[in-house]
Amino acid sequence: MAKVHITNVVVLDNPSSFFNPFQFELTFECIEELKEDLEWKMIYVGSAESEDFDQILDTIYVGPVPEGRHIFVFQADPPDVTRIPEQDAVGVTIVLLTCSYRGQEFVRVGYFINNEYADPELRENPPPKPQFEKLTRNILATKPRVTRFKINWDDASQN
């Protein structure tokens, strides 16, 4: 049984400019004290074709975690545009929030993102090279994809 349950995620500053930081307010419940840190990661998927373009935007460690309800804002800078294939810059992609305990990922929350030009003229006739400063990022906040994984929560050496 999982010892940590994400109970709510609020996408902040959405929609926003492509270059604004990502911001998520995360609420989670811990059903018993965790002696070690939870590792949270925010990952931007640069291309559906290959994981080689995924970028870890930030990693934070929270812990030790007492039993109870916890809330924090996870903020990260936008992705490095030089690592995004030009053909994948505009359109739909994904941002992932993952959480691990003792190196084992136990939950992943994925959001679809639509990066598009705010200017209707640019939307109709996109430039050959992406103009990131003119892109708007819109995270589809109402339909996250949540995947849970079973992990060993207990330290096997403590018997």
Side-chain angles (χ1 to χ4, degrees):
M1 178 175 170
K3 293 185 180 184
V4 174
H5 303 280
I6 296 175
T7 56
N8 195 31
V9 179
V10 179
V11 180
L12 305 174
D13 191 26
N14 185 51
S16 70
S17 164
F18 184 88
F19 286 119
N20 282 1
F22 282 88
Q23 297 180 67
F24 296 91
E25 181 185 83
L26 291 144
T27 304
F28 67 94
E29 296 271 348
C30 189
I31 63 168
E32 71 180 59
E33 179 184 12
L34 297 177
K35 305 266 189 247
E36 296 178 38
D37 292 350
L38 292 172
E39 178 186 42
W40 296 87
K41 286 185 183 179
M42 190 182 305
I43 303 165
Y44 184 86
V45 176
S47 173
E49 305 302 316
S50 170
E51 288 183 17
D52 294 343
F53 300 104
D54 291 1
Q55 295 181 48
I56 297 174
L57 301 180
D58 202 359
T59 302
I60 61 170
Y61 296 90
V62 177
V65 183
E67 180 181 336
R69 184 170 165 247
H70 306 276
I71 300 174
F72 71 100
V73 174
F74 192 1
Q75 179 173 313
D77 288 335
D80 176 353
V81 297
T82 64
R83 296 182 50 205
I84 299 172
E86 288 184 3
Q87 68 273 15
D88 294 320
V90 179
V92 177
T93 190
I94 296 170
V95 65
L96 300 170
L97 302 172
T98 69
C99 192
S100 301
Y101 185 66
R102 293 185 173 143
Q104 305 168 91
E105 182 181 339
F106 64 89
V107 68
R108 178 180 297 178
V109 182
Y111 289 94
F112 286 105
I113 300 172
N114 187 28
N115 294 317
E116 66 180 356
Y117 291 105
D119 182 330
E121 176 63 32
L122 286 174
R123 248 185 274 151
E124 288 295 318
N125 302 299
K129 193 165 176 61
Q131 296 179 10
F132 289 95
E133 69 282 356
K134 295 182 180 178
L135 286 175
T136 297
R137 175 183 71 224
N138 189 359
I139 299 171
L140 185 56
T142 58
K143 302 215 188 258
R145 283 285 181 68
V146 180
T147 307
R148 293 174 183 84
F149 307 96
K150 287 189 178 194
I151 67 165
N152 179 10
W153 290 91
D154 301 310
D155 188 354
S157 66
Q158 292 180 335
N159 288 338

